[in-house]
Amino acid sequence: MKALIDGITGQDGSYLAEFLLEKGYEVHGIIRRSSSFNTDRVDHIFKDIKLYYGDLSDGLNIYSLINSIKPDEYYHLGAQSHVRVSFDIPVYTADVSGTGTMRVLEAIRQVNKDIKFYNAGSSEMFGKVKETPQNEDTPFHPRSPYACAKCYSYWITRNYREGYGMFTCNGILFNHESPRRGGTFVTKKITDYVKGLWKGEEKGKLYLGNLEAKRDWGYAKDYVEAMWLMLQQKTPDDYVIATGETHTVKEFLEEAFSFIGKDWKEYVEFDEKYYRPAEVDILLGDATKARKQLGWEPKVRFKELVEIMLTRES
């Protein structure tokens, strides 16, 4: 089996590449050109994968890569994925995180409609939630340019499935973290700061935004297995992937700081610049469908997740 992953150098892409290699796949990945090396997360498997320069804003390039590689499965993970930043660069976010999905789907349709396609959806699509917990039938109410782009990405994926009979799946993944999480995301900001204190480093204040936001946090390494399982089914479908537990940012702080025996209140300050123009107050996923149809369940829960992020390098 041959897999092509865009976003392979990200948190999810690197774990997925490892997972597929263990399954015996030939793994190919698309990376963006940068003036600095950005392959840290896949350096340890560099000799086992094949990488190509590409960009989701360039449809011709995507078509050419799919046509030359001819994968059996395509995992679409690449995006401008930072919610707060999407308010600062909304047009770019819409182009890459939204229209980029259509460029990939259209390339697959033209090259070979039998290529199985996974699209990385997001719990942020639920936004101002209509019900709690959220499942596959919960209406979307996006509250950021990122979430709006992901809604387009979700619906165009379904459209190609229903319109052309293609094997396309949406994974509606709730927040999933790991030691490979990008440093600007709140969980990684917290755990990096706490690890520094643990090592005795001199630290200034840790500046954060809304501490009352509630999220369903899982372990990224668990979640990539769900991506693969979706493409192994007889028929394509959409699935919520979540732990079914919700915790506030404040709870994450408490858990992380208590691990080293310190009080977070002595170190954390609030900064309004980290608040979003439109906030998402609570996200809590119901992964019953994934459990019943995919046989998937999260292995790592909240407390262990925080410990993993504090004690492991990757």
Side-chain angles (χ1 to χ4, degrees):
M1 293 290 287
K2 190 184 299 185
L4 176 56
I5 306 169
D6 65 46
I8 193 170
T9 58
Q11 170 188 254
D12 293 7
S14 62
Y15 283 125
L16 179 61
E18 290 175 350
F19 179 87
L20 294 176
L21 287 171
E22 290 172 2
K23 293 285 183 185
Y25 277 67
E26 180 181 312
V27 177
H28 301 253
I30 300 173
I31 61 173
R32 285 176 298 169
R33 172 71 177 91
S34 172
S35 59
S36 59
F37 289 109
N38 58 357
T39 59
D40 293 357
R41 296 184 182 97
V42 294
D43 281 349
H44 63 294
I45 55 172
F46 198 83
K47 68 181 189 308
D48 301 316
I49 59 179
K50 299 178 182 178
L51 300 179
Y52 311 82
Y53 287 118
D55 197 292
L56 292 168
S57 65
D58 185 348
L60 179 59
N61 166 261
I62 297 297
Y63 171 87
S64 298
L65 288 172
I66 293 172
N67 192 44
S68 61
I69 296 167
K70 293 182 170 54
D72 299 291
E73 298 172 357
Y74 190 108
Y75 293 88
H76 175 45
L77 311 183
Q80 191 301 99
S81 60
H82 198 286
V83 178
R84 178 62 191 84
V85 171
S86 76
F87 286 98
D88 300 325
I89 48 172
V91 176
Y92 174 78
T93 300
D95 183 44
V96 173
S97 304
T99 314
T101 305
M102 185 182 66
R103 293 187 183 104
V104 175
L105 286 164
E106 184 59 17
I108 289 173
R109 186 181 74 85
Q110 293 186 32
V111 172
N112 178 7
K113 290 196 294 184
D114 291 331
I115 296 171
K116 293 183 176 182
F117 174 82
Y118 169 81
N119 177 53
S122 170
S123 58
E124 288 286 334
M125 298 187 297
F126 295 120
K128 191 174 182 180
V129 298
K130 306 298 184 185
E131 60 186 11
T132 298
Q134 297 90 50
N135 61 33
E136 292 81 3
D137 296 320
T138 303
F140 298 143
H141 186 150
R143 299 267 283 173
S144 66
Y146 168 77
C148 290
K150 281 296 184 180
C151 283
Y152 177 85
S153 181
Y154 170 91
W155 284 113
I156 200 67
T157 297
R158 285 192 59 165
N159 184 257
Y160 272 71
R161 181 169 78 219
E162 296 167 4
Y164 301 112
M166 292 166 58
F167 196 110
T168 65
C169 298
N170 284 297
I172 308 174
L173 273 59
F174 281 64
N175 292 63
H176 46 290
E177 319 297 317
S178 76
R180 297 182 190 175
R181 191 55 145 151
T184 60
F185 290 84
V186 65
T187 54
K188 194 63 161 56
K189 283 180 67 175
I190 293 169
T191 52
D192 279 352
Y193 184 92
V194 170
K195 283 198 289 186
L197 287 179
W198 197 7
K199 294 175 183 176
E201 296 174 3
E202 287 294 326
K203 292 288 199 178
K205 293 291 186 178
L206 173 62
Y207 292 94
L208 298 174
N210 182 10
L211 301 187
E212 300 304 324
K214 296 179 179 179
R215 294 294 183 268
D216 184 328
W217 276 304
Y219 183 32
K221 200 168 184 177
D222 287 348
Y223 284 36
V224 299
E225 180 185 14
M227 300 175 188
W228 176 78
L229 284 169
M230 291 179 207
L231 299 195
Q232 312 315 307
Q233 305 307 301
K234 290 183 179 180
T235 56
D237 209 341
D238 308 318
Y239 299 89
V240 162
I241 304 299
T243 69
E245 299 177 11
T246 189
H247 298 271
T248 63
V249 175
K250 186 185 293 183
E251 287 178 82
F252 198 101
L253 277 169
E254 290 170 347
E255 191 65 42
F257 276 84
S258 67
F259 189 83
I260 62 169
K262 293 187 181 294
D263 184 355
W264 66 270
K265 298 184 185 70
E266 297 178 16
Y267 300 92
V268 175
E269 295 283 352
F270 305 104
D271 191 330
E272 290 185 359
K273 75 178 180 182
Y274 294 116
Y275 277 78
R276 304 175 184 178
E279 185 58 80
V280 173
D281 296 318
I282 179 171
L283 294 172
L284 174 62
D286 177 2
T288 300
K289 182 178 176 181
R291 185 174 68 251
K292 290 181 176 178
Q293 295 188 20
L294 303 179
W296 179 87
E297 289 200 42
K299 301 178 182 69
V300 173
R301 296 292 181 171
F302 179 72
K303 186 180 181 70
E304 185 182 357
L305 172 64
V306 179
E307 184 175 337
I308 286 171
M309 294 183 70
L310 288 170
T311 59
R312 299 185 193 174
E313 294 302 317
S314 66

